Amino acid sequence: MKNYLLALISIVLFTGCAVKMDSTYINKEILPQKSDNVTHFLASKTYNTYDEKEGKLTSYFFKEKDGKLTATHSIMYLPMDSTEQLYSPFSQVTFTLKRLTQGKAKSIEEALVMEVKKNGFKKLFNDKEEYIIGNDFARDLKFCIKEFEDMIQRQEDNDDNGLGLVLPIP
């Protein structure tokens, strides 16, 4: 029950409501040269961004509603390695980073900087320091981060319930 409540709170806190977008804030570099209708172009598109200063990944989901551009978003903050398990040799995060960067990145932040560079340091919005990353890259990275956070949560729950290390009595 506790996990369901936490999941519900997380969804409410980190998923934004649909808001009307002013297309003048959209970076013109991501739009096609001949498109006059920004709303029509962005409708049904998803963009993922990385904000290095905030340490977060954001997914933006654009839709057209009543002829206006609306967007919802979902935020995931990068995890801290407080347990020193995030980059262990057998961590899912380590395996994913090796796969996504051909073994070049040793940290999530390093992999994200490489991905931002690969995408030409393009911003989604003119007024934000969020750089576009690939959707597949973001999906895979978010999945492994979520798995890591779930593993840490299970460990904490086991420790809280007194189910930590149990030694047999001879």
mmCIF file of all heavy atoms in Angstrom, residues 34-56:
data_model
loop_
_atom_site.group_PDB
_atom_site.id
_atom_site.type_symbol
_atom_site.label_atom_id
_atom_site.label_comp_id
_atom_site.label_asym_id
_atom_site.label_seq_id
_atom_site.Cartn_x
_atom_site.Cartn_y
_atom_site.Cartn_z
ATOM 1 N N LYS A 34 10.249 25.191 -43.846
ATOM 2 C CA LYS A 34 9.085 25.655 -44.592
ATOM 3 C C LYS A 34 7.782 25.595 -43.800
ATOM 4 O O LYS A 34 6.720 25.773 -44.349
ATOM 5 C CB LYS A 34 8.942 24.843 -45.877
ATOM 6 C CG LYS A 34 10.128 24.999 -46.791
ATOM 7 C CD LYS A 34 9.978 24.169 -48.034
ATOM 8 C CE LYS A 34 11.216 24.314 -48.901
ATOM 9 N NZ LYS A 34 11.150 23.533 -50.108
ATOM 10 N N SER A 35 7.857 25.324 -42.504
ATOM 11 C CA SER A 35 6.634 25.181 -41.717
ATOM 12 C C SER A 35 6.196 26.523 -41.150
ATOM 13 O O SER A 35 6.919 27.168 -40.404
ATOM 14 C CB SER A 35 6.849 24.190 -40.565
ATOM 15 O OG SER A 35 5.692 24.119 -39.786
ATOM 16 N N ASP A 36 4.996 26.936 -41.532
ATOM 17 C CA ASP A 36 4.424 28.155 -40.982
ATOM 18 C C ASP A 36 3.579 27.847 -39.748
ATOM 19 O O ASP A 36 3.367 28.701 -38.915
ATOM 20 C CB ASP A 36 3.542 28.855 -42.027
ATOM 21 C CG ASP A 36 4.361 29.382 -43.191
ATOM 22 O OD1 ASP A 36 5.533 29.730 -42.977
ATOM 23 O OD2 ASP A 36 3.820 29.435 -44.303
ATOM 24 N N ASN A 37 3.116 26.607 -39.627
ATOM 25 C CA ASN A 37 2.223 26.230 -38.549
ATOM 26 C C ASN A 37 2.985 25.407 -37.504
ATOM 27 O O ASN A 37 3.091 24.192 -37.609
ATOM 28 C CB ASN A 37 1.036 25.444 -39.107
ATOM 29 C CG ASN A 37 -0.050 25.256 -38.068
ATOM 30 O OD1 ASN A 37 0.189 25.401 -36.871
ATOM 31 N ND2 ASN A 37 -1.235 24.936 -38.536
ATOM 32 N N VAL A 38 3.515 26.088 -36.499
ATOM 33 C CA VAL A 38 4.283 25.440 -35.441
ATOM 34 C C VAL A 38 3.408 24.462 -34.665
ATOM 35 O O VAL A 38 3.831 23.364 -34.332
ATOM 36 C CB VAL A 38 4.889 26.500 -34.493
ATOM 37 C CG1 VAL A 38 5.568 25.849 -33.306
ATOM 38 C CG2 VAL A 38 5.846 27.395 -35.246
ATOM 39 N N THR A 39 2.172 24.851 -34.397
ATOM 40 C CA THR A 39 1.254 23.998 -33.640
ATOM 41 C C THR A 39 1.036 22.676 -34.349
ATOM 42 O O THR A 39 1.120 21.616 -33.733
ATOM 43 C CB THR A 39 -0.093 24.718 -33.437
ATOM 44 O OG1 THR A 39 0.151 25.936 -32.730
ATOM 45 C CG2 THR A 39 -1.064 23.853 -32.665
ATOM 46 N N HIS A 40 0.786 22.736 -35.640
ATOM 47 C CA HIS A 40 0.546 21.516 -36.406
ATOM 48 C C HIS A 40 1.796 20.629 -36.441
ATOM 49 O O HIS A 40 1.710 19.406 -36.335
ATOM 50 C CB HIS A 40 0.101 21.865 -37.829
ATOM 51 C CG HIS A 40 -0.237 20.664 -38.655
ATOM 52 N ND1 HIS A 40 -1.321 19.869 -38.394
ATOM 53 C CD2 HIS A 40 0.397 20.101 -39.718
ATOM 54 C CE1 HIS A 40 -1.357 18.870 -39.260
ATOM 55 N NE2 HIS A 40 -0.322 18.997 -40.074
ATOM 56 N N PHE A 41 2.962 21.239 -36.571
ATOM 57 C CA PHE A 41 4.212 20.469 -36.616
ATOM 58 C C PHE A 41 4.487 19.767 -35.283
ATOM 59 O O PHE A 41 4.878 18.607 -35.253
ATOM 60 C CB PHE A 41 5.396 21.373 -36.979
ATOM 61 C CG PHE A 41 6.719 20.672 -36.894
ATOM 62 C CD1 PHE A 41 7.107 19.767 -37.875
ATOM 63 C CD2 PHE A 41 7.574 20.883 -35.823
ATOM 64 C CE1 PHE A 41 8.319 19.096 -37.793
ATOM 65 C CE2 PHE A 41 8.790 20.215 -35.732
ATOM 66 C CZ PHE A 41 9.162 19.325 -36.724
ATOM 67 N N LEU A 42 4.302 20.462 -34.167
ATOM 68 C CA LEU A 42 4.647 19.905 -32.858
ATOM 69 C C LEU A 42 3.582 18.969 -32.278
ATOM 70 O O LEU A 42 3.887 18.182 -31.382
ATOM 71 C CB LEU A 42 4.925 21.025 -31.857
ATOM 72 C CG LEU A 42 6.230 21.780 -32.060
ATOM 73 C CD1 LEU A 42 6.326 22.935 -31.078
ATOM 74 C CD2 LEU A 42 7.419 20.857 -31.912
ATOM 75 N N ALA A 43 2.348 19.055 -32.786
ATOM 76 C CA ALA A 43 1.277 18.200 -32.256
ATOM 77 C C ALA A 43 1.677 16.737 -32.370
ATOM 78 O O ALA A 43 2.205 16.295 -33.393
ATOM 79 C CB ALA A 43 -0.022 18.460 -33.005
ATOM 80 N N SER A 44 1.474 15.993 -31.313
ATOM 81 C CA SER A 44 1.776 14.562 -31.216
ATOM 82 C C SER A 44 3.277 14.260 -31.200
ATOM 83 O O SER A 44 3.672 13.132 -31.453
ATOM 84 C CB SER A 44 1.111 13.777 -32.347
ATOM 85 O OG SER A 44 -0.276 13.954 -32.295
ATOM 86 N N LYS A 45 4.105 15.235 -30.900
ATOM 87 C CA LYS A 45 5.548 15.003 -30.796
ATOM 88 C C LYS A 45 5.953 14.960 -29.325
ATOM 89 O O LYS A 45 5.335 15.557 -28.458
ATOM 90 C CB LYS A 45 6.329 16.104 -31.513
ATOM 91 C CG LYS A 45 6.166 16.084 -33.010
ATOM 92 C CD LYS A 45 7.448 16.483 -33.688
ATOM 93 C CE LYS A 45 7.383 16.589 -35.170
ATOM 94 N NZ LYS A 45 6.786 15.563 -35.921
ATOM 95 N N THR A 46 7.036 14.227 -29.093
ATOM 96 C CA THR A 46 7.629 14.140 -27.763
ATOM 97 C C THR A 46 9.088 14.549 -27.864
ATOM 98 O O THR A 46 9.795 14.112 -28.775
ATOM 99 C CB THR A 46 7.545 12.699 -27.220
ATOM 100 O OG1 THR A 46 6.172 12.324 -27.136
ATOM 101 C CG2 THR A 46 8.188 12.576 -25.857
ATOM 102 N N TYR A 47 9.515 15.380 -26.935
ATOM 103 C CA TYR A 47 10.919 15.777 -26.856
ATOM 104 C C TYR A 47 11.403 15.510 -25.441
ATOM 105 O O TYR A 47 10.682 15.744 -24.474
ATOM 106 C CB TYR A 47 11.095 17.268 -27.172
ATOM 107 C CG TYR A 47 10.981 17.597 -28.635
ATOM 108 C CD1 TYR A 47 9.776 18.001 -29.170
ATOM 109 C CD2 TYR A 47 12.090 17.502 -29.475
ATOM 110 C CE1 TYR A 47 9.662 18.309 -30.517
ATOM 111 C CE2 TYR A 47 11.986 17.803 -30.822
ATOM 112 C CZ TYR A 47 10.770 18.207 -31.339
ATOM 113 O OH TYR A 47 10.667 18.499 -32.671
ATOM 114 N N ASN A 48 12.642 15.042 -25.335
ATOM 115 C CA ASN A 48 13.279 14.847 -24.046
ATOM 116 C C ASN A 48 14.432 15.820 -23.936
ATOM 117 O O ASN A 48 15.153 16.043 -24.917
ATOM 118 C CB ASN A 48 13.791 13.409 -23.906
ATOM 119 C CG ASN A 48 12.672 12.446 -23.640
ATOM 120 O OD1 ASN A 48 12.233 12.326 -22.513
ATOM 121 N ND2 ASN A 48 12.174 11.790 -24.675
ATOM 122 N N THR A 49 14.602 16.388 -22.740
ATOM 123 C CA THR A 49 15.663 17.359 -22.532
ATOM 124 C C THR A 49 16.458 17.029 -21.275
ATOM 125 O O THR A 49 15.981 16.324 -20.385
ATOM 126 C CB THR A 49 15.108 18.789 -22.396
ATOM 127 O OG1 THR A 49 14.261 18.853 -21.242
ATOM 128 C CG2 THR A 49 14.342 19.213 -23.634
ATOM 129 N N TYR A 50 17.665 17.583 -21.228
ATOM 130 C CA TYR A 50 18.542 17.450 -20.065
ATOM 131 C C TYR A 50 18.915 18.839 -19.591
ATOM 132 O O TYR A 50 19.359 19.675 -20.371
ATOM 133 C CB TYR A 50 19.794 16.661 -20.433
ATOM 134 C CG TYR A 50 20.883 16.674 -19.388
ATOM 135 C CD1 TYR A 50 20.626 16.282 -18.077
ATOM 136 C CD2 TYR A 50 22.174 17.072 -19.712
ATOM 137 C CE1 TYR A 50 21.624 16.285 -17.117
ATOM 138 C CE2 TYR A 50 23.182 17.070 -18.762
ATOM 139 C CZ TYR A 50 22.908 16.685 -17.471
ATOM 140 O OH TYR A 50 23.898 16.695 -16.524
ATOM 141 N N ASP A 51 18.726 19.093 -18.307
ATOM 142 C CA ASP A 51 19.117 20.348 -17.680
ATOM 143 C C ASP A 51 20.251 20.025 -16.714
ATOM 144 O O ASP A 51 20.031 19.440 -15.659
ATOM 145 C CB ASP A 51 17.928 20.958 -16.941
ATOM 146 C CG ASP A 51 18.235 22.311 -16.323
ATOM 147 O OD1 ASP A 51 19.420 22.612 -16.068
ATOM 148 O OD2 ASP A 51 17.281 23.071 -16.085
ATOM 149 N N GLU A 52 21.459 20.404 -17.104
ATOM 150 C CA GLU A 52 22.643 20.065 -16.309
ATOM 151 C C GLU A 52 22.638 20.773 -14.959
ATOM 152 O O GLU A 52 22.999 20.171 -13.940
ATOM 153 C CB GLU A 52 23.904 20.434 -17.099
ATOM 154 C CG GLU A 52 25.189 20.007 -16.434
ATOM 155 C CD GLU A 52 26.410 20.289 -17.282
ATOM 156 O OE1 GLU A 52 26.323 21.050 -18.263
ATOM 157 O OE2 GLU A 52 27.463 19.735 -16.953
ATOM 158 N N LYS A 53 22.222 22.029 -14.913
ATOM 159 C CA LYS A 53 22.224 22.787 -13.664
ATOM 160 C C LYS A 53 21.248 22.211 -12.649
ATOM 161 O O LYS A 53 21.537 22.162 -11.464
ATOM 162 C CB LYS A 53 21.883 24.258 -13.932
ATOM 163 C CG LYS A 53 22.978 24.991 -14.663
ATOM 164 C CD LYS A 53 22.600 26.425 -14.921
ATOM 165 C CE LYS A 53 23.675 27.093 -15.767
ATOM 166 N NZ LYS A 53 23.309 28.456 -16.131
ATOM 167 N N GLU A 54 20.090 21.790 -13.112
ATOM 168 C CA GLU A 54 19.070 21.228 -12.224
ATOM 169 C C GLU A 54 19.247 19.727 -12.011
ATOM 170 O O GLU A 54 18.613 19.148 -11.128
ATOM 171 C CB GLU A 54 17.672 21.494 -12.787
ATOM 172 C CG GLU A 54 17.315 22.957 -12.901
ATOM 173 C CD GLU A 54 17.037 23.582 -11.542
ATOM 174 O OE1 GLU A 54 16.510 22.888 -10.657
ATOM 175 O OE2 GLU A 54 17.364 24.773 -11.389
ATOM 176 N N GLY A 55 20.051 19.073 -12.851
ATOM 177 C CA GLY A 55 20.240 17.631 -12.742
ATOM 178 C C GLY A 55 18.963 16.859 -13.008
ATOM 179 O O GLY A 55 18.599 15.966 -12.241
ATOM 180 N N LYS A 56 18.290 17.224 -14.109
ATOM 181 C CA LYS A 56 17.007 16.571 -14.372
ATOM 182 C C LYS A 56 16.820 16.273 -15.849
ATOM 183 O O LYS A 56 17.383 16.924 -16.720
ATOM 184 C CB LYS A 56 15.843 17.434 -13.875
ATOM 185 C CG LYS A 56 15.662 18.726 -14.655
ATOM 186 C CD LYS A 56 14.481 19.526 -14.136
ATOM 187 C CE LYS A 56 14.330 20.811 -14.937
ATOM 188 N NZ LYS A 56 13.179 21.584 -14.520
#
